[in-house]
Amino acid sequence: MSLTAELGTSTAFDLGPARALSCRECGHETPLAAEFACTQCFGPLEVAYDFGTVTRASIEAGPRNIWRYRHLLPVPADVQEHPNTEPGLTRLIKADRLGAALGIRNLWIKDDTGNPTHSFKDRVVAVALAAARELGFKVLCCPSTGNLANAVAAAAARAGWDSVVLIPASLEQAKVLTTAVYGGTLLAVDGNYDDVNRLATELAAEHEDWAFVNVNVRPYYAEGSKTLGFEIAEQLGWRLPEQVVVPVASGSQLTKVDKGFAEFGKLGLVEPTPYKVFGAQATGCSPVAKAFAEGHDVITPVRPDTIARSLAIGNPADGPYVLDAVRRTGGAVEHVTDEEVVEGIRLLARTEGVFAETAGGVTVATTKKLVESGQLDPDAETVLLITGDGLKTLDAVSGQVGPTATVPASSAAVRNALADRD
Amino acid sequence: MSLTAELGTSTAFDLGPARALSCRECGHETPLAAEFACTQCFGPLEVAYDFGTVTRASIEAGPRNIWRYRHLLPVPADVQEHPNTEPGLTRLIKADRLGAALGIRNLWIKDDTGNPTHSFKDRVVAVALAAARELGFKVLCCPSTGNLANAVAAAAARAGWDSVVLIPASLEQAKVLTTAVYGGTLLAVDGNYDDVNRLATELAAEHEDWAFVNVNVRPYYAEGSKTLGFEIAEQLGWRLPEQVVVPVASGSQLTKVDKGFAEFGKLGLVEPTPYKVFGAQATGCSPVAKAFAEGHDVITPVRPDTIARSLAIGNPADGPYVLDAVRRTGGAVEHVTDEEVVEGIRLLARTEGVFAETAGGVTVATTKKLVESGQLDPDAETVLLITGDGLKTLDAVSGQVGPTATVPASSAAVRNALADRD
């Protein structure tokens, strides 16, 4: 699990404000290294910081991407000097038409489809790559069936690193293409996603210079999601929203958005006003929503069965921390059916011109449900996270939308077709 | 052709710095209106301006999208107050690895895949929508087979406008979905793209409140491409590059990038240093490259036959102006085969992690050819325009890229597979 011995001691690492790794369960601290589980209690490790002085002006003077927040991330101060991707500072758009449809007065969409490979994974992978370089790794790796594979292969290509991406051999051709085009090593594994994940852990232990972004450098990787929280606050004009709705897969993203808001408050970059964090899941993979509804602190794993494949993690590692953040802030976790997911995708596209992947449909449909059930305050300022692109999950809307009419090439035929429609 | 009578007189229109429409052939000026051809000589109309004072600081204080340049576009000063998309300020990235592969010392990529619907068309459509609103139109329309259809349907959805998008009935299902999802009127027309285009012109004449972005509001629409030039100059640190390579379909984009550079120079926003403009075409649709090579001033139309469908305009309206800009600045127009296009896509993805549509492959491959033939100076700072996304043209790389190997789920199998590869 530990590569510290091979890769050098923590004092050799410049990971900016990162001071140590700290266990989220027992609080035990360990030097910065490629570790992800506490040697005392096997709890998950998280980055602990000593932040210097960070001001609005210093952030605003930075580049127009996540590296403007480099002094709040576990990356070297000179992170921009090394080739990497430049994700972030994606659109935060006022969503008045979607708001009207949902009955929410003051609604925003954080549209992360504008990232280099069109999902929020570019954020976490960019941070993982920067940290992995400093930790001495040479190869960027992951197991994935979609967005993460794209992001790892693209970031490694741009950095000039080798990459090793593991996918189930049964993956659809289109998803194979969108990773293979970047030219790294792409291994189709005979087995299901669980087999692929297990293989990744095995390979991470055997190859000392392979950084599996979501395994052996996970503590650094996960911090990249804080930038979603940072950007929302900065783009709102240096203040926090009152409510935020986040899709839940492993749960990491939700906890890091919360952490981002909290850090901005503690650093005095925003007024630490109260906010509520809501989680969104698909019914076919809703272990966190179930635990929330039943008042449990632990998650009972499920076997995923939903079209929202980017959220289909049946045993979410950060589930307990999601429950904690949601309960602490007064939010909730809800779930929606696959039919509602498709309706959510279509509603968002029709009202705001944003075409989201299935996870975005989950977020929109869950928000609708939360309003209808009175759990989300329709009068409070609300931000929805749209974290991936509809171009990658076309199957979800296939057969659901199509041409209004097929007409001969004459204006009279068009008039007739439109009259029939009205 | 003129809707001025129905829609009011030009004095009623607030289109910011736009003063009149001016004929690019005879210079005749006509009041701002929904016109696109000169009443004197039938030449194409272009927007003429009276620019006020525009400074670097005033631009930098603007929003992080094309509306930061609103005082240089034919849009009302309050353009941001009306719902519209927020394209622009996409990444300009240093492309050292692609530069090394091409033998260019100082290379940049302007990556317009980060726009709302992932192509530069979001820029021109956003400007067309803003102008169309002021001109009194109520419906946003276009004939298109791809990127433009996506951009029009999405922008109309976000603005709450009706849209009418015309496509050939034979269009692939995936391209139908990516427009239909936005919920406007999508008409599949029995006929080829020429039939669809002809129908659009007919409909534009018959429906006084229908704005066909690339027909009756084309002079305004086309100005949106200037923002590519503006952003390149601003993102380079307020200076012009020495060389720029632009894909050529109608040719409008190339002429507007040139115009953007020239306007920045005239307004004192940058030093008016010399630059060369290069055009890139696919061999299967290279009428401008042919005219350039033969020293002609007029374009002989061709029947397109190339995988670069977003560039497949056989009779490019702005071809003569492309020739003028290229010759005036000392550039060139070249063309590459479909095989080279695919190689260009793959080279860009492998070296920079940017997955471009076929038009991007044309730009990269043409740049390679221009260097090899000595037409492009490898020591001069060069910017390549990547204007659309590979997710929309997956067919181009299908069968060309795939998994490195298929392996059983064991680390020994992975080792063997990698050893075989080395």
Side-chain angles (χ1 to χ4, degrees), chain B residues 230-253:
Chain B
F230 294 157
E231 289 181 18
I232 290 168
E234 179 179 353
Q235 291 173 316
L236 283 176
W238 298 104
R239 60 184 177 74
L240 302 180
E242 294 174 278
Q243 302 177 127
V244 60
V245 187
V246 188
V248 172
S250 74
S252 173
Q253 182 179 80

CSV table of all heavy atoms in Angstrom, one decimal, chain B residues 230-253:
chain,number,residue,atom,x,y,z
B,230,PHE,N,-10.1,37.7,-31.5
B,230,PHE,CA,-10.0,38.6,-30.3
B,230,PHE,C,-9.4,37.7,-29.2
B,230,PHE,O,-8.5,38.2,-28.5
B,230,PHE,CB,-11.4,39.1,-29.9
B,230,PHE,CG,-12.0,40.1,-30.8
B,230,PHE,CD1,-13.4,40.2,-30.8
B,230,PHE,CD2,-11.3,40.8,-31.7
B,230,PHE,CE1,-14.0,41.2,-31.6
B,230,PHE,CE2,-11.9,41.7,-32.6
B,230,PHE,CZ,-13.3,41.9,-32.5
B,231,GLU,N,-10.0,36.5,-29.0
B,231,GLU,CA,-9.5,35.7,-27.8
B,231,GLU,C,-8.1,35.3,-28.0
B,231,GLU,O,-7.3,35.3,-27.0
B,231,GLU,CB,-10.4,34.5,-27.7
B,231,GLU,CG,-11.8,34.9,-27.2
B,231,GLU,CD,-12.7,33.7,-27.0
B,231,GLU,OE1,-12.3,32.6,-26.9
B,231,GLU,OE2,-14.0,33.9,-26.9
B,232,ILE,N,-7.7,34.9,-29.2
B,232,ILE,CA,-6.3,34.5,-29.4
B,232,ILE,C,-5.4,35.6,-29.0
B,232,ILE,O,-4.4,35.4,-28.3
B,232,ILE,CB,-6.1,34.1,-30.9
B,232,ILE,CG1,-6.8,32.7,-31.2
B,232,ILE,CG2,-4.6,33.9,-31.2
B,232,ILE,CD1,-6.9,32.4,-32.7
B,233,ALA,N,-5.7,36.8,-29.5
B,233,ALA,CA,-4.8,38.0,-29.2
B,233,ALA,C,-4.8,38.3,-27.7
B,233,ALA,O,-3.7,38.5,-27.1
B,233,ALA,CB,-5.3,39.2,-30.0
B,234,GLU,N,-6.0,38.3,-27.1
B,234,GLU,CA,-6.0,38.6,-25.6
B,234,GLU,C,-5.3,37.5,-24.8
B,234,GLU,O,-4.5,37.8,-23.9
B,234,GLU,CB,-7.4,38.7,-25.1
B,234,GLU,CG,-7.5,39.0,-23.6
B,234,GLU,CD,-8.9,39.1,-23.0
B,234,GLU,OE1,-9.9,39.2,-23.8
B,234,GLU,OE2,-9.0,39.2,-21.8
B,235,GLN,N,-5.5,36.2,-25.2
B,235,GLN,CA,-4.9,35.1,-24.4
B,235,GLN,C,-3.4,35.0,-24.6
B,235,GLN,O,-2.7,34.4,-23.8
B,235,GLN,CB,-5.7,33.8,-24.8
B,235,GLN,CG,-7.1,33.8,-24.2
B,235,GLN,CD,-7.9,32.6,-24.7
B,235,GLN,OE1,-7.9,32.2,-25.9
B,235,GLN,NE2,-8.7,32.0,-23.8
B,236,LEU,N,-2.9,35.5,-25.8
B,236,LEU,CA,-1.5,35.5,-25.9
B,236,LEU,C,-0.8,36.6,-25.1
B,236,LEU,O,0.4,36.8,-25.1
B,236,LEU,CB,-1.1,35.7,-27.4
B,236,LEU,CG,-1.3,34.5,-28.3
B,236,LEU,CD1,-1.0,34.9,-29.8
B,236,LEU,CD2,-0.3,33.4,-27.9
B,237,GLY,N,-1.7,37.4,-24.4
B,237,GLY,CA,-1.1,38.5,-23.6
B,237,GLY,C,-1.2,39.8,-24.4
B,237,GLY,O,-0.2,40.6,-24.4
B,238,TRP,N,-2.3,40.0,-25.2
B,238,TRP,CA,-2.5,41.2,-26.0
B,238,TRP,C,-1.4,41.4,-27.0
B,238,TRP,O,-0.7,42.4,-27.1
B,238,TRP,CB,-2.6,42.4,-25.1
B,238,TRP,CG,-3.8,42.3,-24.1
B,238,TRP,CD1,-3.7,42.1,-22.8
B,238,TRP,CD2,-5.2,42.5,-24.4
B,238,TRP,NE1,-5.0,42.0,-22.3
B,238,TRP,CE2,-5.9,42.3,-23.2
B,238,TRP,CE3,-5.9,42.8,-25.6
B,238,TRP,CZ2,-7.3,42.4,-23.2
B,238,TRP,CZ3,-7.3,42.9,-25.5
B,238,TRP,CH2,-8.0,42.7,-24.3
B,239,ARG,N,-1.3,40.4,-27.9
B,239,ARG,CA,-0.5,40.5,-29.1
B,239,ARG,C,-0.9,39.5,-30.1
B,239,ARG,O,-1.7,38.6,-29.8
B,239,ARG,CB,1.0,40.3,-28.7
B,239,ARG,CG,1.3,39.0,-28.1
B,239,ARG,CD,2.8,38.8,-27.7
B,239,ARG,NE,3.0,37.5,-27.1
B,239,ARG,CZ,3.0,36.4,-27.8
B,239,ARG,NH1,2.9,36.4,-29.1
B,239,ARG,NH2,3.2,35.2,-27.2
B,240,LEU,N,-0.5,39.7,-31.3
B,240,LEU,CA,-1.0,38.9,-32.4
B,240,LEU,C,0.1,37.7,-32.6
B,240,LEU,O,1.3,38.0,-32.4
B,240,LEU,CB,-1.1,39.7,-33.7
B,240,LEU,CG,-2.1,40.8,-33.7
B,240,LEU,CD1,-2.1,41.6,-35.0
B,240,LEU,CD2,-3.5,40.4,-33.3
B,241,PRO,N,-0.4,36.6,-33.0
B,241,PRO,CA,0.6,35.5,-33.4
B,241,PRO,C,1.2,35.9,-34.8
B,241,PRO,O,0.7,36.8,-35.5
B,241,PRO,CB,-0.3,34.3,-33.5
B,241,PRO,CG,-1.7,34.8,-33.9
B,241,PRO,CD,-1.8,36.2,-33.3
B,242,GLU,N,2.2,35.1,-35.2
B,242,GLU,CA,2.8,35.4,-36.5
B,242,GLU,C,2.1,34.6,-37.6
B,242,GLU,O,2.1,35.0,-38.8
B,242,GLU,CB,4.3,35.0,-36.4
B,242,GLU,CG,5.1,36.0,-35.5
B,242,GLU,CD,6.5,35.5,-35.4
B,242,GLU,OE1,6.8,34.6,-34.5
B,242,GLU,OE2,7.4,36.1,-36.1
B,243,GLN,N,1.5,33.5,-37.2
B,243,GLN,CA,0.8,32.6,-38.2
B,243,GLN,C,-0.4,32.0,-37.6
B,243,GLN,O,-0.4,31.6,-36.4
B,243,GLN,CB,1.8,31.5,-38.7
B,243,GLN,CG,3.1,32.0,-39.3
B,243,GLN,CD,4.0,30.9,-39.8
B,243,GLN,OE1,4.5,30.9,-40.9
B,243,GLN,NE2,4.3,30.0,-38.9
B,244,VAL,N,-1.5,31.8,-38.4
B,244,VAL,CA,-2.7,31.2,-37.9
B,244,VAL,C,-3.2,30.3,-39.0
B,244,VAL,O,-3.1,30.7,-40.2
B,244,VAL,CB,-3.7,32.2,-37.4
B,244,VAL,CG1,-4.1,33.2,-38.5
B,244,VAL,CG2,-4.9,31.6,-36.8
B,245,VAL,N,-3.6,29.1,-38.6
B,245,VAL,CA,-4.1,28.1,-39.6
B,245,VAL,C,-5.6,27.8,-39.3
B,245,VAL,O,-5.9,27.4,-38.1
B,245,VAL,CB,-3.3,26.8,-39.6
B,245,VAL,CG1,-3.8,25.9,-40.7
B,245,VAL,CG2,-1.8,27.0,-39.7
B,246,VAL,N,-6.5,28.1,-40.2
B,246,VAL,CA,-7.9,28.1,-40.0
B,246,VAL,C,-8.5,27.1,-41.1
B,246,VAL,O,-8.2,27.2,-42.3
B,246,VAL,CB,-8.5,29.5,-40.3
B,246,VAL,CG1,-10.0,29.5,-39.9
B,246,VAL,CG2,-7.7,30.5,-39.5
B,247,PRO,N,-9.4,26.2,-40.6
B,247,PRO,CA,-10.1,25.4,-41.6
B,247,PRO,C,-11.1,26.2,-42.4
B,247,PRO,O,-11.7,27.2,-42.0
B,247,PRO,CB,-10.9,24.4,-40.7
B,247,PRO,CG,-11.1,25.1,-39.4
B,247,PRO,CD,-9.9,26.0,-39.2
B,248,VAL,N,-11.3,25.8,-43.7
B,248,VAL,CA,-12.1,26.6,-44.6
B,248,VAL,C,-13.3,25.8,-45.1
B,248,VAL,O,-13.1,24.8,-45.8
B,248,VAL,CB,-11.3,27.1,-45.8
B,248,VAL,CG1,-12.2,27.7,-46.9
B,248,VAL,CG2,-10.2,28.1,-45.4
B,249,ALA,N,-14.5,26.2,-44.7
B,249,ALA,CA,-15.8,25.6,-45.3
B,249,ALA,C,-16.3,26.7,-46.2
B,249,ALA,O,-16.0,26.8,-47.4
B,249,ALA,CB,-16.7,25.3,-44.1
B,250,SER,N,-17.2,27.6,-45.7
B,250,SER,CA,-17.6,28.8,-46.5
B,250,SER,C,-16.5,29.8,-46.6
B,250,SER,O,-16.5,30.6,-47.5
B,250,SER,CB,-18.8,29.4,-45.8
B,250,SER,OG,-18.4,30.2,-44.7
B,251,GLY,N,-15.6,29.7,-45.7
B,251,GLY,CA,-14.5,30.7,-45.7
B,251,GLY,C,-14.7,31.8,-44.7
B,251,GLY,O,-13.8,32.6,-44.5
B,252,SER,N,-15.9,32.0,-44.2
B,252,SER,CA,-16.2,33.1,-43.4
B,252,SER,C,-15.3,33.2,-42.2
B,252,SER,O,-14.8,34.2,-41.8
B,252,SER,CB,-17.7,33.0,-43.0
B,252,SER,OG,-18.0,34.0,-42.0
B,253,GLN,N,-15.1,32.0,-41.5
B,253,GLN,CA,-14.4,32.1,-40.3
B,253,GLN,C,-13.0,32.6,-40.5
B,253,GLN,O,-12.5,33.5,-39.7
B,253,GLN,CB,-14.3,30.6,-39.7
B,253,GLN,CG,-13.5,30.6,-38.4
B,253,GLN,CD,-13.4,29.2,-37.9
B,253,GLN,OE1,-12.6,28.3,-38.3
B,253,GLN,NE2,-14.3,28.9,-36.9
